[in-house]
Amino acid sequence: MTTTEHSAYRIIDTGRAARWLVTVDHATNRVPDWVAGGDLGVAPADMGRHIAYDVGALGVGAVLADRLGAPLIHSDFSRLVIDPNRGEDDPTLVMQLYDGTLIPANRGISNAAVAERLERLHRPYHAALEEMAARRPDVVLCAIHSYTPCLRGHAPRPWEVGVLSSHKDRRLAEPLIAALAGLGLCVGDNEPYAGHLDGDSIDRHALAPGRPNVLIEVRNDLIRDAAGQAEWGARLAPVLERVLAESGL
């Protein structure tokens, strides 16, 4: 396995030849030391929650990429520093309050500080992602995320897995939803979130250039440990391969 390391991202096995490119936008909860001294003022317990990163998503993505014979690119900074799955003009790019937790280092953040985070983290990640996506003309993007079983003050989420998609391109999403439901899973169609944000990663790297794509959200209580991550990576890989083959894309 070869790994390309950068302060903003890592790429695993760039030489893998499959059409698939696996991405994990919210892979880690790392806060660079040049950002507020490496401490956003958030308690360690909260930095271990879904507000700081997608718990278990990187492990699932790594197993999935290996099974698909595909490269994987992931961010290496917390979404609380700056969210790589948001456009540069999105008001939630740098969160000051998330699921009941205040982010002290982000309160009253200056335009200059946001610009530095964009320049050193957000933009390098997206430049590398685009380079990987352009490595062959028929690349298919598979974005892996995870979600919490229950937001504070809200009802529990029943879905085990969600498939998010834009109305602009549901070519792989619809058959994937059917295939996962056929395994007996409780599947959300654009649940627990709506599937399209202007300027997000799929919009930027798949919808705009016309690349086939899927975005998969796994409920994070199912993938908190290595065994769960391996199980879900192994479960998803053959389904994705079959859906893509049958799509004719």
Side-chain angles (χ1 to χ4, degrees):
M1 182 176 72
T2 58
T3 301
T4 300
E5 297 191 18
H6 184 279
S7 60
Y9 61 85
R10 293 188 179 189
I11 303 172
I12 300 173
D13 279 335
T14 56
R16 287 175 175 168
R19 292 180 63 188
W20 293 100
L21 172 61
V22 178
T23 68
V24 186
D25 288 333
H26 301 141
T28 77
N29 60 359
R30 187 179 75 89
V31 180
D33 57 11
W34 54 268
V35 176
D39 186 347
L40 297 174
V42 177
D46 280 328
M47 288 301 295
R49 293 203 302 131
H50 70 100
I51 65 170
Y53 74 120
D54 281 356
V55 177
L58 180 56
V60 173
V63 173
L64 177 62
D66 184 59
R67 295 269 183 155
L68 293 174
L72 178 149
I73 180 169
H74 70 84
S75 68
D76 195 22
F77 53 91
S78 173
R79 67 193 302 171
L80 295 180
V81 174
I82 191 166
D83 194 330
N85 195 33
R86 296 293 184 272
E88 293 191 12
D89 60 351
D90 192 296
T92 65
L93 181 66
V94 179
M95 294 288 282
Q96 298 186 36
L97 174 68
Y98 196 170
D99 194 22
T101 297
L102 290 169
I103 319 302
N106 292 349
R107 296 190 70 182
I109 189 170
S110 67
N111 290 336
V114 174
E116 183 178 22
R117 297 182 193 187
L118 280 168
E119 192 62 29
R120 296 179 67 171
L121 298 171
H122 193 280
R123 288 172 183 159
Y125 171 67
H126 282 285
L129 199 165
E130 180 54 36
E131 183 176 350
M132 290 300 296
R135 78 190 193 284
R136 52 183 289 176
D138 59 351
V139 159
V140 183
L141 261 66
C142 177
I144 298 296
H145 292 257
S146 72
Y147 61 95
T148 185
C150 187
L151 290 170
R152 289 176 174 172
H154 292 260
R157 292 161 160 172
W159 312 282
E160 294 166 282
V161 60
V163 178
L164 275 53
S165 63
S166 167
H167 62 281
K168 297 179 181 179
D169 184 1
R170 288 175 55 85
R171 292 174 294 172
L172 290 180
E174 290 183 354
L176 178 60
I177 291 165
L180 292 172
L183 298 178
L185 297 169
C186 182
V187 186
D189 182 353
N190 278 328
E191 297 287 1
Y193 312 110
H196 180 244
L197 285 173
D198 289 339
D200 68 8
S201 289
I202 290 292
D203 186 50
R204 181 171 178 172
H205 299 290
L207 298 178
R211 295 182 180 111
N213 62 89
V214 292
L215 191 158
I216 299 172
E217 294 262 7
V218 184
R219 205 177 67 211
N220 70 26
D221 61 315
L222 304 174
I223 54 172
R224 286 189 176 276
D225 59 23
Q229 294 158 23
E231 178 184 347
W232 274 89
R235 174 181 289 137
L236 292 170
V239 178
L240 286 168
E241 289 183 311
R242 175 165 56 86
V243 165
L244 178 61
E246 292 175 355
S247 73
L249 293 169

Coordinates of all heavy atoms in Angstrom, one line a residue, residues 57-129:
A57 N -16.2 6.2 9.4 CA -16.3 6.3 7.9 C -15.0 6.0 7.3 O -15.0 5.3 6.2 CB -16.8 7.7 7.5
L58 N -13.9 6.4 7.8 CA -12.6 6.1 7.2 C -12.3 4.6 7.2 O -11.8 4.1 6.2 CB -11.5 6.9 7.9 CG -10.1 6.7 7.4 CD1 -10.0 7.0 5.9 CD2 -9.0 7.5 8.2
G59 N -12.6 3.9 8.3 CA -12.4 2.5 8.3 C -13.3 1.8 7.2 O -12.8 0.9 6.5
V60 N -14.5 2.2 7.1 CA -15.4 1.6 6.1 C -14.8 1.9 4.7 O -14.7 1.0 3.8 CB -16.8 2.1 6.2 CG1 -17.7 1.6 5.0 CG2 -17.5 1.7 7.5
G61 N -14.4 3.2 4.5 CA -13.9 3.6 3.2 C -12.7 2.8 2.8 O -12.5 2.4 1.6
A62 N -11.8 2.6 3.8 CA -10.5 1.9 3.5 C -10.8 0.4 3.1 O -10.2 -0.1 2.1 CB -9.6 1.9 4.7
V63 N -11.7 -0.3 3.8 CA -12.0 -1.6 3.4 C -12.7 -1.7 2.1 O -12.4 -2.5 1.2 CB -12.9 -2.3 4.5 CG1 -13.4 -3.6 4.1 CG2 -12.2 -2.4 5.8
L64 N -13.7 -0.8 1.9 CA -14.4 -0.7 0.6 C -13.4 -0.5 -0.6 O -13.5 -1.1 -1.6 CB -15.4 0.4 0.6 CG -16.2 0.7 -0.6 CD1 -17.0 -0.6 -1.0 CD2 -17.1 1.9 -0.4
A65 N -12.5 0.5 -0.4 CA -11.6 0.8 -1.5 C -10.7 -0.4 -1.8 O -10.4 -0.7 -3.0 CB -10.7 2.0 -1.1
D66 N -10.3 -1.1 -0.8 CA -9.5 -2.3 -1.0 C -10.2 -3.4 -1.8 O -9.7 -4.0 -2.7 CB -9.0 -2.8 0.4 CG -8.1 -4.0 0.2 OD1 -7.0 -3.9 -0.4 OD2 -8.4 -5.1 0.7
R67 N -11.5 -3.6 -1.4 CA -12.3 -4.6 -2.0 C -12.6 -4.2 -3.5 O -12.8 -5.1 -4.4 CB -13.6 -4.7 -1.3 CG -13.5 -5.3 0.1 CD -13.6 -6.8 0.1 NE -13.5 -7.3 1.5 CZ -14.0 -8.5 1.8 NH1 -14.7 -9.2 0.9 NH2 -13.9 -9.0 3.0
L68 N -12.8 -2.9 -3.8 CA -13.1 -2.4 -5.1 C -11.8 -2.3 -6.0 O -11.9 -2.1 -7.2 CB -13.8 -1.1 -5.1 CG -15.2 -1.1 -4.5 CD1 -15.7 0.4 -4.4 CD2 -16.2 -1.9 -5.3
G69 N -10.6 -2.4 -5.4 CA -9.4 -2.1 -6.1 C -9.3 -0.7 -6.5 O -8.8 -0.4 -7.6
A70 N -9.8 0.2 -5.6 CA -9.9 1.6 -6.0 C -9.0 2.5 -5.0 O -8.8 2.1 -3.9 CB -11.3 2.1 -5.8
P71 N -8.5 3.6 -5.5 CA -7.8 4.5 -4.6 C -8.8 5.2 -3.7 O -10.0 5.2 -3.9 CB -7.2 5.5 -5.5 CG -8.0 5.5 -6.8 CD -8.6 4.1 -6.9
L72 N -8.3 5.7 -2.6 CA -9.1 6.5 -1.6 C -8.5 7.8 -1.3 O -7.2 7.8 -1.1 CB -9.3 5.6 -0.3 CG -10.1 6.3 0.8 CD1 -10.8 5.2 1.6 CD2 -9.2 7.1 1.8
I73 N -9.2 8.8 -1.2 CA -8.7 10.1 -0.7 C -9.6 10.6 0.4 O -10.8 10.4 0.4 CB -8.7 11.2 -1.8 CG1 -8.1 12.5 -1.3 CG2 -10.0 11.4 -2.5 CD1 -7.8 13.6 -2.3
H74 N -8.9 11.1 1.5 CA -9.7 11.6 2.6 C -9.0 12.8 3.2 O -7.8 13.0 3.1 CB -9.8 10.5 3.7 CG -8.5 10.1 4.4 ND1 -8.1 10.9 5.5 CD2 -7.6 9.1 4.3 CE1 -6.9 10.3 6.0 NE2 -6.7 9.3 5.2
S75 N -9.9 13.7 3.8 CA -9.4 14.9 4.4 C -8.7 14.5 5.7 O -8.8 13.4 6.2 CB -10.5 15.8 4.8 OG -11.4 15.2 5.8
D76 N -7.8 15.3 6.2 CA -7.1 15.1 7.5 C -7.2 16.2 8.4 O -6.2 16.7 9.0 CB -5.6 14.7 7.2 CG -5.0 14.1 8.4 OD1 -5.7 13.5 9.2 OD2 -3.7 14.1 8.5
F77 N -8.4 16.8 8.5 CA -8.7 17.8 9.5 C -10.2 17.8 9.9 O -11.0 17.3 9.1 CB -8.4 19.2 8.9 CG -9.0 19.5 7.5 CD1 -10.3 20.1 7.5 CD2 -8.4 19.1 6.4 CE1 -10.9 20.4 6.2 CE2 -9.0 19.4 5.1 CZ -10.2 20.0 5.1
S78 N -10.5 18.2 11.1 CA -11.8 18.1 11.6 C -12.8 19.0 10.8 O -12.4 20.2 10.4 CB -11.9 18.5 13.0 OG -13.2 18.6 13.5
R79 N -14.0 18.6 10.6 CA -15.0 19.4 10.0 C -15.3 20.7 10.8 O -15.9 21.6 10.2 CB -16.3 18.6 9.8 CG -17.0 18.2 11.1 CD -18.0 17.2 11.0 NE -19.1 17.6 10.1 CZ -20.0 16.7 9.6 NH1 -20.1 15.5 10.0 NH2 -21.0 17.2 8.8
L80 N -14.9 20.7 12.1 CA -15.1 21.9 12.9 C -14.1 22.9 12.6 O -14.3 24.1 12.9 CB -15.1 21.5 14.4 CG -16.2 20.6 14.9 CD1 -16.1 20.3 16.4 CD2 -17.6 21.2 14.6
V81 N -13.0 22.6 12.0 CA -12.0 23.6 11.6 C -12.5 24.3 10.3 O -12.6 25.5 10.3 CB -10.6 22.9 11.3 CG1 -9.7 23.9 10.7 CG2 -10.1 22.3 12.6
I82 N -12.9 23.5 9.3 CA -13.6 24.0 8.1 C -14.1 22.7 7.4 O -13.5 21.7 7.4 CB -12.6 24.8 7.2 CG1 -13.4 25.5 6.1 CG2 -11.5 23.9 6.7 CD1 -12.5 26.6 5.4
D83 N -15.3 22.8 6.9 CA -16.0 21.7 6.4 C -15.7 21.5 4.9 O -16.1 22.2 4.1 CB -17.5 21.8 6.6 CG -18.2 20.5 6.4 OD1 -17.8 19.6 5.6 OD2 -19.3 20.3 7.1
P84 N -14.9 20.4 4.6 CA -14.6 20.2 3.2 C -15.8 19.8 2.3 O -15.7 19.8 1.1 CB -13.6 19.0 3.3 CG -13.9 18.3 4.5 CD -14.4 19.4 5.5
N85 N -16.9 19.4 3.0 CA -18.1 19.1 2.2 C -19.1 20.2 2.1 O -20.3 20.0 2.0 CB -18.8 17.8 2.8 CG -19.8 17.2 1.8 OD1 -19.6 17.3 0.6 ND2 -20.9 16.7 2.4
R86 N -18.5 21.4 2.1 CA -19.3 22.6 1.9 C -18.6 23.5 0.9 O -17.4 23.6 0.8 CB -19.5 23.4 3.2 CG -20.3 22.7 4.3 CD -21.7 22.5 3.9 NE -22.5 21.9 5.0 CZ -22.6 20.6 5.2 NH1 -22.0 19.7 4.3 NH2 -23.3 20.1 6.2
G87 N -19.4 24.2 0.1 CA -18.9 25.2 -0.8 C -18.3 26.4 0.0 O -18.6 26.6 1.1
E88 N -17.4 27.1 -0.7 CA -16.7 28.2 0.0 C -17.6 29.3 0.5 O -17.2 30.0 1.4 CB -15.6 28.7 -0.9 CG -14.4 27.7 -1.2 CD -13.2 28.4 -1.8 OE1 -13.2 29.6 -1.9 OE2 -12.3 27.6 -2.3
D89 N -18.7 29.4 -0.1 CA -19.7 30.5 0.3 C -20.8 30.0 1.1 O -21.7 30.7 1.4 CB -20.2 31.2 -1.0 CG -21.0 30.3 -1.9 OD1 -20.9 29.0 -1.7 OD2 -21.6 30.8 -2.9
D90 N -20.7 28.7 1.6 CA -21.8 28.1 2.4 C -21.7 28.7 3.8 O -20.6 28.8 4.4 CB -21.6 26.6 2.5 CG -22.8 25.9 3.0 OD1 -23.1 26.2 4.2 OD2 -23.5 25.1 2.3
P91 N -22.8 29.1 4.4 CA -22.8 29.7 5.7 C -22.4 28.7 6.8 O -22.1 29.2 7.9 CB -24.2 30.2 5.9 CG -25.1 29.5 5.0 CD -24.2 29.2 3.8
T92 N -22.5 27.4 6.5 CA -22.1 26.4 7.5 C -20.6 25.9 7.3 O -20.2 24.9 7.8 CB -23.0 25.2 7.5 OG1 -22.9 24.6 6.2 CG2 -24.5 25.7 7.8
L93 N -19.9 26.7 6.5 CA -18.5 26.3 6.2 C -17.7 26.2 7.5 O -16.9 25.2 7.7 CB -17.9 27.3 5.3 CG -16.4 27.1 4.8 CD1 -16.3 25.8 3.9 CD2 -15.9 28.3 4.1
V94 N -17.8 27.1 8.4 CA -17.1 27.1 9.7 C -18.2 27.2 10.8 O -18.8 28.3 11.0 CB -16.1 28.2 9.8 CG1 -15.4 28.2 11.2 CG2 -15.0 28.1 8.7
M95 N -18.5 26.1 11.4 CA -19.6 26.1 12.4 C -19.2 26.7 13.7 O -18.1 26.5 14.2 CB -20.0 24.6 12.6 CG -20.6 24.0 11.4 SD -22.2 24.6 10.9 CE -23.3 23.7 12.1
Q96 N -20.1 27.5 14.3 CA -19.9 28.0 15.6 C -20.8 27.3 16.7 O -20.4 27.4 17.8 CB -20.3 29.5 15.6 CG -19.5 30.3 14.6 CD -19.7 31.8 14.7 OE1 -20.0 32.4 15.8 NE2 -19.7 32.5 13.6
L97 N -21.8 26.6 16.2 CA -22.6 25.8 17.1 C -23.1 24.6 16.3 O -23.6 24.7 15.2 CB -23.9 26.6 17.5 CG -24.9 25.9 18.4 CD1 -24.4 25.5 19.7 CD2 -26.2 26.7 18.5
Y98 N -22.9 23.4 16.9 CA -23.2 22.1 16.2 C -23.8 21.1 17.2 O -23.2 20.7 18.1 CB -22.0 21.6 15.5 CG -22.3 20.5 14.5 CD1 -21.2 20.1 13.6 CD2 -23.5 20.0 14.2 CE1 -21.4 19.1 12.7 CE2 -23.7 19.1 13.3 CZ -22.7 18.6 12.5 OH -22.9 17.7 11.5
D99 N -25.1 20.7 16.9 CA -25.8 19.8 17.7 C -25.6 20.1 19.2 O -25.3 19.2 20.0 CB -25.3 18.3 17.4 CG -26.2 17.3 18.0 OD1 -27.4 17.6 18.2 OD2 -25.7 16.1 18.2
G100 N -25.9 21.3 19.6 CA -25.9 21.7 21.0 C -24.5 22.1 21.6 O -24.5 22.5 22.7
T101 N -23.5 21.9 20.8 CA -22.1 22.2 21.3 C -21.6 23.5 20.7 O -21.5 23.6 19.4 CB -21.2 21.0 21.0 OG1 -21.6 19.9 21.7 CG2 -19.7 21.4 21.4
L102 N -21.1 24.4 21.5 CA -20.5 25.6 21.0 C -19.0 25.3 20.6 O -18.4 24.5 21.3 CB -20.5 26.7 22.1 CG -21.8 27.3 22.5 CD1 -21.7 28.2 23.8 CD2 -22.3 28.2 21.3
I103 N -18.6 26.0 19.6 CA -17.2 25.8 19.1 C -16.5 27.2 19.4 O -16.5 28.1 18.6 CB -17.1 25.5 17.6 CG1 -18.3 24.5 17.2 CG2 -15.8 25.1 17.2 CD1 -18.2 23.2 17.9
P104 N -15.9 27.3 20.6 CA -15.3 28.6 21.1 C -14.4 29.2 20.1 O -14.4 30.5 19.9 CB -14.7 28.2 22.4 CG -15.5 27.1 22.9 CD -15.8 26.3 21.7
A105 N -13.5 28.5 19.5 CA -12.5 29.0 18.6 C -13.0 29.6 17.3 O -12.4 30.3 16.6 CB -11.4 28.0 18.3
N106 N -14.3 29.2 17.0 CA -14.9 29.7 15.8 C -15.8 30.9 16.0 O -16.3 31.4 15.0 CB -15.7 28.5 15.1 CG -14.8 27.4 14.6 OD1 -13.6 27.6 14.5 ND2 -15.4 26.3 14.2
R107 N -16.1 31.2 17.3 CA -17.0 32.3 17.5 C -16.4 33.6 17.2 O -15.2 33.9 17.6 CB -17.4 32.3 19.0 CG -18.2 31.1 19.4 CD -18.8 31.2 20.8 NE -19.9 32.2 20.8 CZ -20.6 32.6 21.9 NH1 -20.3 32.1 23.1 NH2 -21.5 33.5 21.8
G108 N -17.0 34.4 16.3 CA -16.5 35.7 15.9 C -15.3 35.5 15.0 O -14.4 36.4 15.0
I109 N -15.1 34.4 14.3 CA -13.9 34.2 13.5 C -13.8 35.2 12.4 O -14.8 35.7 11.8 CB -14.0 32.8 12.9 CG1 -12.6 32.4 12.2 CG2 -15.1 32.6 11.9 CD1 -12.5 30.9 11.8
S110 N -12.6 35.7 12.2 CA -12.3 36.8 11.2 C -12.3 36.2 9.8 O -12.1 35.0 9.6 CB -11.0 37.4 11.5 OG -9.9 36.5 11.2
N111 N -12.5 37.1 8.9 CA -12.5 36.7 7.4 C -11.1 36.2 7.1 O -10.9 35.2 6.3 CB -12.8 37.9 6.5 CG -14.3 38.2 6.6 OD1 -15.1 37.4 7.0 ND2 -14.6 39.5 6.3
A112 N -10.1 36.8 7.7 CA -8.7 36.4 7.4 C -8.4 34.9 7.9 O -7.7 34.2 7.3 CB -7.7 37.3 8.1
A113 N -9.0 34.6 9.1 CA -8.8 33.2 9.6 C -9.5 32.2 8.7 O -9.0 31.1 8.5 CB -9.3 33.2 11.1
V114 N -10.7 32.5 8.3 CA -11.4 31.6 7.4 C -10.6 31.5 6.1 O -10.5 30.4 5.6 CB -12.8 32.2 7.1 CG1 -13.5 31.3 6.0 CG2 -13.7 32.2 8.3
A115 N -10.1 32.6 5.6 CA -9.3 32.5 4.3 C -8.1 31.6 4.5 O -7.7 30.9 3.6 CB -8.9 33.9 3.9
E116 N -7.4 31.7 5.7 CA -6.3 30.8 5.9 C -6.6 29.4 5.9 O -5.9 28.5 5.3 CB -5.6 31.2 7.2 CG -4.3 30.4 7.4 CD -3.6 30.8 8.7 OE1 -4.2 31.4 9.6 OE2 -2.4 30.5 8.8
R117 N -7.7 29.0 6.5 CA -8.2 27.7 6.6 C -8.6 27.2 5.2 O -8.3 26.0 4.8 CB -9.4 27.5 7.6 CG -9.0 27.8 9.0 CD -10.2 27.6 9.9 NE -9.9 28.2 11.3 CZ -10.7 28.1 12.3 NH1 -11.8 27.3 12.2 NH2 -10.4 28.6 13.5
L118 N -9.2 28.0 4.4 CA -9.5 27.7 3.0 C -8.2 27.4 2.2 O -8.1 26.4 1.5 CB -10.3 28.8 2.3 CG -11.7 28.9 2.6 CD1 -12.3 30.3 2.1 CD2 -12.5 27.8 1.9
E119 N -7.2 28.3 2.4 CA -6.0 28.2 1.6 C -5.2 27.0 1.9 O -4.5 26.3 1.1 CB -5.2 29.5 1.7 CG -4.1 29.6 0.7 CD -4.6 29.6 -0.8 OE1 -5.7 30.1 -1.0 OE2 -3.8 29.2 -1.7
R120 N -5.1 26.7 3.2 CA -4.2 25.6 3.7 C -4.8 24.2 3.8 O -4.1 23.2 3.8 CB -3.6 26.0 5.1 CG -2.8 27.3 5.0 CD -2.2 27.7 6.3 NE -1.2 26.8 6.8 CZ -0.4 27.0 7.9 NH1 -0.6 28.1 8.6 NH2 0.4 26.1 8.3
L121 N -6.2 24.2 3.9 CA -6.8 22.9 4.1 C -7.9 22.6 3.0 O -7.8 21.6 2.3 CB -7.5 22.9 5.5 CG -6.6 23.0 6.7 CD1 -7.4 23.2 7.9 CD2 -5.6 21.8 6.8
H122 N -8.9 23.4 2.9 CA -10.1 23.2 2.1 C -9.6 23.1 0.6 O -10.0 22.1 -0.1 CB -11.1 24.3 2.3 CG -12.5 24.0 1.7 ND1 -12.7 24.2 0.4 CD2 -13.6 23.6 2.3 CE1 -14.0 23.9 0.2 NE2 -14.6 23.6 1.3
R123 N -8.9 24.1 0.1 CA -8.6 24.1 -1.3 C -7.6 23.0 -1.7 O -7.7 22.4 -2.8 CB -8.1 25.5 -1.7 CG -9.2 26.5 -1.7 CD -8.7 27.9 -1.9 NE -9.8 28.9 -1.8 CZ -9.7 30.2 -1.6 NH1 -8.5 30.7 -1.3 NH2 -10.7 31.0 -1.5
P124 N -6.5 22.7 -0.9 CA -5.6 21.6 -1.3 C -6.4 20.3 -1.3 O -6.1 19.5 -2.2 CB -4.6 21.7 -0.2 CG -4.6 23.1 0.3 CD -6.0 23.5 0.2
Y125 N -7.3 20.1 -0.4 CA -8.0 18.8 -0.4 C -8.8 18.7 -1.7 O -8.8 17.6 -2.4 CB -9.0 18.7 0.8 CG -9.9 17.6 0.7 CD1 -9.5 16.2 0.8 CD2 -11.3 17.8 0.6 CE1 -10.4 15.2 0.7 CE2 -12.2 16.7 0.5 CZ -11.7 15.4 0.6 OH -12.6 14.4 0.6
H126 N -9.5 19.7 -2.1 CA -10.3 19.6 -3.3 C -9.5 19.6 -4.6 O -9.9 18.9 -5.6 CB -11.3 20.8 -3.4 CG -12.5 20.6 -2.5 ND1 -13.5 19.7 -2.8 CD2 -12.8 21.0 -1.2 CE1 -14.4 19.6 -1.8 NE2 -14.0 20.4 -0.9
A127 N -8.3 20.2 -4.6 CA -7.5 20.2 -5.7 C -7.0 18.7 -5.9 O -6.9 18.2 -7.1 CB -6.3 21.1 -5.6
A128 N -6.6 18.1 -4.8 CA -6.1 16.7 -4.9 C -7.3 15.8 -5.3 O -7.1 14.8 -6.1 CB -5.5 16.3 -3.6
L129 N -8.5 16.0 -4.8 CA -9.6 15.2 -5.1 C -9.9 15.3 -6.6 O -10.1 14.3 -7.3 CB -10.8 15.6 -4.3 CG -12.0 14.6 -4.1 CD1 -12.9 15.0 -3.0 CD2 -12.8 14.5 -5.4

